[in-house]
Each structure stands twice: as C-alpha cells, then as structure tokens.
Amino acid sequence: MEEEKFDCIVVGGGIAGLSAAMTLARNNMKFLLIERGEFAGSKNVSGGVLWGEGLSKLVPNYWEETEGFERFINQRRLTFMDGDSSFSVDFKSESFNETPYKGIVVLRSKFDNWLAGKVEEAIAESDYPEDSFIATSILVEEILMDNGKAVGIKAGEEEFYADSIILAEGVNNLLTRQVGLQDKYVPADHVATGVKEIIRYDQQKLEDRFQLNGLSGMSNEFIGFATGGVEGGGFLYTNRDSISLGLVLGLKDLREKGKTPYDILNEFKEHPTIKDIIKDGEVLEYSAHVVSTGDMKVMPKEIYKDGVMVAGEAANLLMNSGKAIQGMDFAMHSGILAAETVTEAKTKGDFSANTLKDYRKKLEDSFVLKDMRNFQDAVHMLHSPEMFGTVPNIVCDFGKKFFSIENSPTPKTRKMLSESVKKHSSFWKLAKLGIKGARSL
Ligand SMILES: Cc1cc2nc3c(=O)[nH]c(=O)nc-3n(C[C@H](O)[C@H](O)[C@H](O)COP(=O)(O)OP(=O)(O)OC[C@H]3O[C@@H](n4cnc5c(N)ncnc54)[C@H](O)[C@@H]3O)c2cc1C
C-alpha cells in the first residue's frame, strides 16, 4: 500500500481541483485527482465569466490558443428592469482588449476539459509522468481517517492513500461535512439556485447584434423584473456563437414566494428587452445548479485540519457583490494555494494541521478572503428587497420620464426624480440605502 501512497489526492475536477492539480504537477508532486463526472467539466454549470488574470499564471499565454475560452470581455453592462422598460449603464474600453484579459467567458464543459488536458501535459513533464493521474467517472464516497487525520479516500471497493487531501468538491460539500469542517445543514437563505440557458445564433448575427469584434465579448447583469420579485439577479454572457442567459435566485425566497426558477426564467425571456435580444436564437441547453450566496457566515468552521484542506466553492469561496459573480477565480486561486501548501508540507515532512494552517494564512493574505471580507456588506445589501424591487423600479420610472420628449412643458429633472422616488419609496429610505451602499462598496 505504501507504494501506492500519493503526496496528495484531489477530490473534484472543477476549477479548484484542476488548478491544484496543475500546481502539484509543476511542483513535482505525486498526486491523484478524482472526478465523478465522465470528464472534467461534464457536471459543471457556470454563467460564466472567469474574472481576473489568474489563468495566465496557470497557463501562460493561454490566449494564443483559443480552444479553452469563448470570448474575452471588453464591454460590461448593468441593466435595471421593471415590467416594460430597462435602463442600462454600459462600459466599453479598448484597454480591456489587452492581454492578459480582465475576464474571459467560458463554457465549463469545454473549459474544464481543456484545462484537464493542460494538467495532463504538466504531469507528462513532471517527475511522476507514470504515477500521477486524473481519474474520471469515480465518486469519492468517504474520506478515510486515522486518529483524526485524513489519510485517504474510499471509492466503491477501492481505497487510495495519501499524505494530504484537497477537497475541491464544489458547493455540495458532503465530504467537507464528513470530516467535520462544515455543519451538516446550511440554512436555505445562504444558498441560491442558478438556472441557465444556452441560446445559439448564427455567429455573424450574434456579433452584429452585440457589436462584437473578433473574440471580444460582453457581460450583462440584470437587476429587478428579471427575477420576478425574488431575491437575486440575471446575467447574459456572449459565447462564440451563443449566449448564456440565466438567473441566480435565493432558495428561501423562491420557496416562500412559491415560484419556480423555470417560470421566472420564461417571464424574463418575455421581457421586451430580452425578447429582442434572443430573437431567432435556438435554445440548445438548459441547466441548473446550486450556488452559494457568498455569505461568510456559512464558510466551513475551518478550511484545514490534519491531512486535509478545502478549496473553491466547497469552502464557500464565492462573492456576488452586484458587480459580478466571482466563484471561478476564487476557486482557481484557492486551489493553487492549497497545492503550494502541500508542496511546503512535503519539504517539511509534516502534513499536520500545524503546517496546513499556512493555507489559511495564504488565503487571508490573498485577494480571495480580503475581497470577501471587504465586500460582505455589499453581498448582504444585494439580498435586500429594495435592491431587487424598489431601486430598479425608481430607475426605470425616472428613465421613462427623462427620456420621453413630449409637446408639453418639460419638468426639471429633479422634479422627475422626486416623483419617481415618491412613487416607489421615500427620499429618507433612499438616502439611508444610498449611505449603506456607499459604505458597502
Ligand atoms: C448559474 C451559475 C452562474 C455562475 N456564474 C459565474 C460567473 O460568471 N463567474 C464566476 O466566477 N463564477 C460563477 N458561478 C460560480 C462558479 O461556477 C463556482 O464558484 C465554481 O464552479 C466553483 O468551482 P469549484 O472547482 O470549487 O467547484 P465545481 O466547479 O462545482 O467543481 C467541483 C467538482 O467536483 C466534482 N465532485 C463533487 N463531489 C465529488 C466526489 N465526491 N467525488 C468525485 N468528484 C466530485 C464535481 O463533479 C465537480 O466537477 C456561477 C454558478 C452558477 C450555478
């Protein structure tokens, strides 16, 4: 059995797991990555924009081969909606065309599979070309413990042993709970459900409709009518010849309001703004997945213990501050940091919590936990009814007044604004919200 012992077993071939694996291969560690899906990415759903420059550190010059990603983002739009109108803030910048890109749109089944291919290449160049593996179609059922230390995994009748384990199993973190790092039940108000359709067009039509050039792309977030009064938001991302259109909806609010994600998505698609966008498109795929709301209260009690670390969304590392959903970049960075900690532990010959606690420190010092802490108020604020109801209604009501020119005396802008505010709220309530918002960002 000793012969078969790995330096590390990574559970999960999503972004966190693959990023950990790539780092382990580059650091000449002997490892086994186990993914339950038929191939890496086959079980994964994402909107999805991978934000930031992290990928260029894992796969330098990744943009020179375009198999992995769909488009890079050079245009961002935030749209407020009521029942018949939409009011957008739009930003496009030439500087976003430069590499490394600020964000790339990915389709996970394609992207994860591509990244797994890169990990295989790194394994081939490592000291363990024959002894490190990515194994698919295997479900890890149990983490084997010995005297409180994680020592291996069990999958069916098979057992595999390692000095360390990285749990990168995603939001449904059953193994993290099994080793006692996470409470058994996560309250429903800390979980959301994501639904997404992929709608295909003729590529030229898509590029004309969204004014895309080459591989440039757009991300559009929606607040208001999109979610049918349920807390959450909508998104639209342009792929090569399709769009990803979807919603993230608070699970508790959905249940309390007796609504289904599918019905809300259909209503969203009937909104005049969306109807025009998706005209002539063909729905190729519908998918749904649970997603964390990014509330730090539901993070595992700790993200390491003797022999084991938790990375990515399994550790609840995700943030939706209204500007974007950041889950994949957090997963990537945490996977890298966990793998670096394994490398250091091997040098020390100590895989106990005493060494693995450095993973926590690295994460605290990185943008992942710094941003999650800094923007927790924004995360909470986004769940308030004002944000997905009152504010978009005021914005759209004001837009209707401001942009309509009539053959009658035009009121001053401040009067229009005042009328819109009074119709949906009050200045006092809005001022309080504004102060809260300014502080949270
Ligand atoms: C609708 C939607 C839209 C989103 N949009 C964005 C976006 O635009 N940008 C962004 O950054 N994030 C987005 N996210 C969040 C993002 O998808 C996640 O944060 C990210 O996928 C987390 O990566 P991960 O590697 O931690 O987990 P996952 O991607 O979930 O990967 C976990 C892997 O582990 C495997 N696994 C689980 N259990 C086992 C087991 N017991 N044995 C073997 N294998 C196992 C799974 O099959 C899976 O492949 C979105 C999520 C949703 C649902």
Side-chain angles (χ1 to χ4, degrees), residues 74-76 90-94 96 210-213 216:
N74 76 345
Q75 185 173 7
R76 304 215 42 198
D90 197 281
F91 181 78
K92 190 169 187 174
S93 174
E94 186 72 15
F96 284 11
F210 292 95
Q211 298 168 337
L212 309 177
N213 196 355
S216 76

Side-chain angles (χ1 to χ4, degrees), residues 12 15-16 35-36 44 46-49 108 140 169 313 325 327-328:
I15 293 199
E35 163 57 42
R36 66 184 168 153
N44 296 333
S46 198
V49 183
R108 289 295 297 280
V140 175
E169 55 182 332
E313 215 180 327
I325 304 176
M328 292 189 272

